[in-house]
Amino acid sequence: MRILIIEDDRETAEYLRKGLAESGHVADHAATGPEGLAMAPGGHYDALIVDRMLPEMEGLAVIQQLREQKLTTPVLILSALGQVNDRVRGLRAGGDDYLVKPFAFSELLARLEALTRRRGGDDLEAATHLRAGDLEMDLLRRTVTRAEKPVDLQPREFRLLEYLMRHEGQVVTRTMLLEGVWDYHFDPQTNVIDVHISRLRAKIDKGNPIPLLHTIRGAGYSLRAPA
Amino acid sequence: MRSAAPATACVPRLNLVRTTAFRLTVLYLALFSASVLAILGFIYWSTVAVLDRQTRATIEAEVKGLAEQYKERGLAGLIDVVRDRSGEGGGRDSVYLLFDPQVGPLAGNLAAWPTVATGPGEWITLDLMRREEGRLMPHEVHARTFQLLGGYRMLVGRDMYEKTKFRRIVVETLAWSLAATLGLGLVGGVILSRRMLARVEGVTRTARRIMQGDLSQRIEPAGSDDEFDRLAESLNAMFEQIERLMAGMRLATDSLAHDLRGPLTRLRGRIELALIHPPDPALDRNALNDVLSQTDAALAMFDSLLKIAAAEAGVATTELKPLDLGALARDAAELYEPLAEEKGIRLDIETRPAPRVAAQRELLAQAVANLLDNAVKHTPAGGAITVRVVEDGGGAMLTIADTGPGIPAVDRERVLERFVRLQESRSGPGAGLGLSLVAAVAKLHGAHLRLDDNPAWLTTERAPLAAPGTAGPGLSIEICFPPAPEQSFASAAQ
């Protein structure tokens, strides 16, 4: 991936750049809003990371201008402002996701991957059916099968699996699950998500030689079918 | 002297004349005096008019009578009558003069024809000197002149003694009443001002002492239940709140310093140790993992503190949206259900239709999650947690009850404070911020928070609990939300 970081704090920018490089991505850095505005359209970036509090020009204004120029590159807003209204404002201004500082790099990476993946156009089949290996989900009938055998899921487990399947092959963090499945924008600070995942795993992976639901240490989970 | 010096221990004393009470008294006195003046003036004016009219009527009647005498008995008869009336037997208030322009006065008690009387038939006022108890006294006389046949002129007058006397009485009354009003008013004003001054001074003194750092000072109410007592009550309530907030802040800062020192010291220790021993990738990675989790713990603590501070500072009422408490509780219970199940705890949820409450969803959800988290943490295997939402007094009530050790009654206030952990839970994870957040969120929503032993309904109405699941009296936490005000729905409807 090619990422543009619009961030005035050199240290944070360097940390992001290094982390992204180590994960096999290329990152450019713009230290001010105008610089970012100039770089974003021509660089063919896969995603932008935009800090909200920038000198000269606010991050949200940068995003708004880019959106006015019909730039559709996904934007991840990175900000110390973490209240609900801040997030709402950020997303309304054209951001695609919002991450509050301080953040874990694994979280940032997982969200970036989710953002860039989402761009792929979904056809009608994808809108009603999700598939990962021999795991199939019928969104209309709300049924799940693994190797053509029905899997019985509770409504919330269904939504959890749906979220994981929609982000197939990507790392999904606990916070992403809490936000995406429960609409909780806070961390309950316990292993609740782990317990939900292990229940789900028991239902879809048990008795199957190939596990689909993987735990990524220090980051989260990933639903992945062997290639 | 009033000085621009900063308000320190030296409190400038209030000047009596400068007090509002005194100024009001003076203003009132001025108004009162003006009214007294106006009323007495009016009485004087109207009474004098009546007296004047009476005098005129008397004089007119007398003139008429004399004219008849003249017509019947001629000049000699008239002279007789005038002499008779103005003589010893006549009224001492009457003044007569029958005058012949050639000869001079013919009869009457006036020495000469007054110079002011020029034509006949006119009303005049004479200033005469009259002998009274051996002294000459000025007298005002109202009189009328007229012309008789034969060139004689006649003057009939009345002494206005009554009017003068009345005027004197009025003026004297006026003077006395004004003097009395001013005197009494000033004395009253001074007494009133002093009284108010004393009470205001009391408030000022208390405020100064509080500013000097003694937050326990309160204003002594006079017990009169007047506006000053009410003011004192309000101020005392405010001082109470300030003292509580200050104490809370002090506790939070102290605890923060204390509780953060722990993870930070461990953090430092781990880093130092990792640097001391010879480089070993496996050990270094372990150390880094430790450092990461310690940092996360410290960050989580900060996050909770910020959330509590935000909840305590309050949010705009427009941020409160109508919310189904039952649905929120079900969501949270469902999140924790597998966790409870894994620990061998039964989690029951029971929601009955309840009115929606005005709430900030995220904070409320976090509060409920904190409560469930605590309940799962403290309830032993085999126990039960019950989440209940019911209608209560027009609002909605959320109850979360467990069969854990419970919280002793003496500690129930204390556990709501920041960083307070009971001894038995001290060793476990957490910074003692969970219940503080719940308390702050409840307060923000105007809800009433109550901690109690788990009531009997949990153990009797439901299936009897196995002994191992009951570690103590259990804990029941009730949050009672008031009925949502209409305007909170109006803003949410848009």
Side-chain angles (χ1 to χ4, degrees):
Chain A
M1 278 198 286
R2 232 176 117 80
I3 315 276
L4 174 65
I5 304 160
I6 308 178
E7 161 74 72
D8 62 314
D9 182 50
R10 296 247 159 226
E11 212 167 305
T12 310
E14 186 56 24
Y15 159 62
L16 285 174
R17 214 187 49 73
K18 253 192 182 154
L20 286 169
E22 272 170 28
S23 316
H25 304 292
V26 182
D28 289 339
H29 174 219
T32 65
E35 203 181 315
L37 265 182
M39 284 168 77
H44 306 293
Y45 293 107
D46 296 302
L48 308 181
I49 298 173
V50 183
D51 181 23
R52 265 191 73 166
M53 285 182 282
L54 290 171
E56 292 175 51
M57 193 176 181
E58 229 236 310
L60 293 189
V62 174
I63 299 168
Q64 263 160 347
Q65 287 209 17
L66 286 174
R67 292 294 184 237
E68 274 163 27
Q69 294 170 26
K70 307 281 178 232
L71 189 86
T72 54
T73 317
V75 171
L76 173 72
I77 300 171
L78 198 56
S79 173
L81 307 170
Q83 297 281 316
V84 184
N85 337 345
D86 298 324
R87 283 201 295 263
V88 169
R89 272 191 62 206
L91 296 176
R92 284 207 178 132
D96 296 280
D97 200 355
Y98 200 105
L99 190 57
V100 180
K101 287 180 185 175
F103 59 93
F105 185 77
S106 53
E107 177 83 32
L108 177 103
L109 195 62
R111 282 176 188 269
L112 270 184
E113 281 168 356
L115 275 185
T116 48
R117 175 67 177 271
R118 211 173 285 164
R119 295 187 79 195
D122 23 342
D123 47 37
L124 187 67
E125 223 260 333
T128 58
H129 281 82
L130 295 172
R131 188 167 292 132
D134 56 356
L135 182 69
E136 272 187 65
M137 177 177 267
D138 184 337
L139 291 167
L140 291 179
R141 291 211 209 110
R142 320 241 2 125
T143 55
V144 175
T145 54
R146 174 91 204 255
E148 287 171 14
K149 269 184 274 175
V151 181
D152 188 25
L153 294 181
Q154 299 287 318
R156 191 71 68 166
E157 287 167 345
F158 187 90
R159 285 184 56 189
L160 188 58
L161 182 61
E162 182 189 340
Y163 191 91
L164 288 163
M165 287 182 87
R166 283 193 189 279
H167 296 87
E168 196 217 320
Q170 301 165 8
V171 176
V172 173
T173 65
R174 289 173 183 80
T175 6
M176 284 163 82
L177 288 173
L178 275 164
E179 281 176 21
V181 182
W182 278 271
D183 194 23
Y184 278 2
H185 296 266
F186 59 88
D187 188 358
Q189 306 284 345
T190 42
N191 56 340
V192 270
I193 292 296
D194 303 339
V195 180
H196 279 272
I197 290 284
S198 69
R199 286 185 145 203
L200 184 63
R201 180 180 281 138
K203 288 190 176 176
I204 60 167
D205 279 345
K206 205 171 179 186
N208 210 302
I210 308 158
L212 291 177
L213 193 44
H214 304 273
T215 301
I216 313 294
R217 224 188 136 209
Y221 306 95
S222 184
L223 188 83
R224 210 177 284 151
Chain B
M1 229 192 85
R2 215 155 58 165
S3 70
T8 53
C10 168
V11 185
R13 286 197 65 79
L14 273 172
N15 191 334
L16 180 74
V17 181
R18 280 223 178 85
T19 61
T20 308
F22 192 81
R23 285 179 193 185
L24 280 176
T25 309
V26 169
L27 185 69
Y28 177 72
L29 274 180
L31 280 173
F32 188 73
S33 306
S35 332
V36 167
L37 214 67
I39 290 170
L40 283 176
F42 177 73
I43 291 173
Y44 176 72
W45 176 77
S46 49
T47 313
V48 160
V50 169
L51 284 175
D52 276 353
R53 239 183 353 258
Q54 270 182 355
T55 312
R56 278 176 189 234
T58 315
I59 292 171
E60 296 273 14
E62 204 139 14
V63 166
K64 219 165 159 188
L66 288 171
E68 269 167 27
Q69 289 287 332
Y70 181 58
K71 209 155 73 185
E72 277 174 25
R73 295 164 57 192
L75 184 64
L78 183 62
I79 290 172
D80 271 355
V81 174
V82 170
R83 278 192 181 145
D84 188 39
R85 289 197 183 171
S86 59
E88 295 298 308
R92 58 184 263 60
D93 290 347
S94 305
V95 174
Y96 300 95
L97 181 62
L98 182 59
F99 190 79
D100 181 342
Q102 276 81 49
V103 183
L106 298 178
N109 47 11
L110 206 62
W113 189 260
T115 46
V116 287
T118 47
E122 62 178 347
W123 287 98
I124 50 172
T125 304
L126 306 171
D127 285 318
L128 301 179
M129 299 304 280
R130 204 164 176 164
R131 191 167 296 278
E132 230 172 83
E133 294 159 1
R135 278 193 301 152
L136 276 176
M137 296 291 284
H139 276 248
E140 191 189 316
V141 170
H142 216 52
R144 188 171 182 192
T145 61
F146 57 99
Q147 190 88 34
L148 297 174
L149 292 170
Y152 304 108
R153 278 186 265 171
M154 181 82 206
L155 181 147
V156 179
R158 280 257 154 198
D159 193 333
M160 298 303 287
Y161 171 74
E162 288 294 335
K163 186 176 158 185
T164 318
K165 199 165 86 185
F166 181 71
R167 184 193 292 155
R168 207 173 53 231
I169 291 171
V170 168
V171 170
E172 272 174 18
T173 312
L174 200 65
W176 280 115
S177 10
L178 277 182
T181 307
L182 285 173
L184 286 174
L186 275 178
V187 170
V190 167
I191 292 172
L192 201 71
S193 311
R194 272 188 186 283
R195 241 177 86 87
M196 281 173 84
L197 217 57
R199 301 190 64 178
V200 172
E201 283 281 4
V203 174
T204 313
R205 237 186 347 262
T206 312
R208 300 268 166 188
R209 282 205 201 118
I210 288 173
M211 273 158 64
Q212 280 158 24
D214 183 1
L215 288 172
S216 65
Q217 286 288 327
R218 296 290 176 269
I219 301 163
E220 198 73 51
S224 46
D225 203 25
D226 57 0
E227 54 270 55
F228 270 105
D229 268 13
R230 286 228 302 281
L231 178 70
E233 266 169 40
S234 305
L235 287 174
N236 282 343
M238 186 178 85
F239 294 149
E240 199 97 19
Q241 175 92 340
I242 291 173
E243 192 186 11
R244 224 163 32 80
L245 286 176
M246 289 296 287
M249 216 157 76
R250 204 166 292 153
L251 180 82
T253 346
D254 290 354
S255 316
L256 188 63
H258 178 263
D259 279 52
L260 273 181
R261 194 165 288 154
L264 288 180
T265 308
R266 286 194 291 276
L267 201 65
R268 204 188 170 284
R270 288 298 286 151
I271 297 171
E272 208 171 19
L273 269 179
L275 287 174
I276 285 171
H277 69 67
D280 176 344
L283 284 176
D284 286 352
R285 272 206 94 67
N286 265 344
L288 281 176
N289 261 331
D290 269 9
V291 166
L292 193 64
S293 64
Q294 298 278 0
T295 313
D296 281 346
L299 281 175
M301 194 187 288
F302 269 121
D303 198 47
S304 298
L305 276 173
L306 285 176
K307 277 227 171 81
I308 295 169
E312 273 178 354
V315 290
T317 44
T318 49
E319 271 189 49
L320 301 179
K321 304 271 157 71
L323 178 128
D324 180 356
L325 195 59
L328 183 112
R330 275 196 301 275
D331 276 357
E334 193 223 31
L335 178 67
Y336 278 92
E337 207 254 315
L339 201 66
E341 200 172 283
E342 200 174 62
K343 226 187 136 180
I345 302 167
R346 203 181 66 211
L347 199 152
D348 295 318
I349 169 112
E350 180 190 339
T351 56
R352 291 189 207 148
R356 294 193 297 173
V357 296
Q360 217 269 13
R361 184 184 171 269
E362 184 156 347
L363 281 172
L364 200 54
Q366 169 133 39
V368 175
N370 282 1
L371 289 177
L372 281 169
D373 199 62
N374 271 348
V376 171
K377 227 180 263 170
H378 295 296
T379 305
I385 298 168
T386 307
V387 180
R388 235 176 34 143
V389 175
V390 292
E391 190 267 329
D392 182 85
M397 182 162 78
L398 167 80
T399 313
I400 293 181
D402 63 47
T403 57
I407 295 176
V410 286
D411 291 326
R412 281 175 196 158
E413 279 282 315
R414 213 165 55 84
V415 291
L416 300 180
E417 287 166 17
R418 272 168 253 202
F419 293 112
V420 172
R421 282 194 282 169
L422 296 183
Q423 217 48 50
E424 53 266 38
S425 62
R426 193 91 204 162
S427 49
L433 291 172
L435 278 178
S436 316
L437 181 78
V438 174
V441 169
K443 198 171 152 206
L444 173 75
H445 288 86
H448 183 70
L449 179 70
R450 202 168 70 92
L451 274 62
D452 208 342
D453 288 342
N454 193 348
W457 58 263
L458 187 72
T459 45
T460 54
E461 265 181 37
R462 320 233 134 218
L465 290 162
T470 321
L475 179 66
S476 155
I477 296 184
E478 276 177 11
I479 310 179
C480 200
F481 292 84
E486 276 310 309
Q487 69 260 29
S488 66
F489 290 120
S491 62
Q494 294 160 7

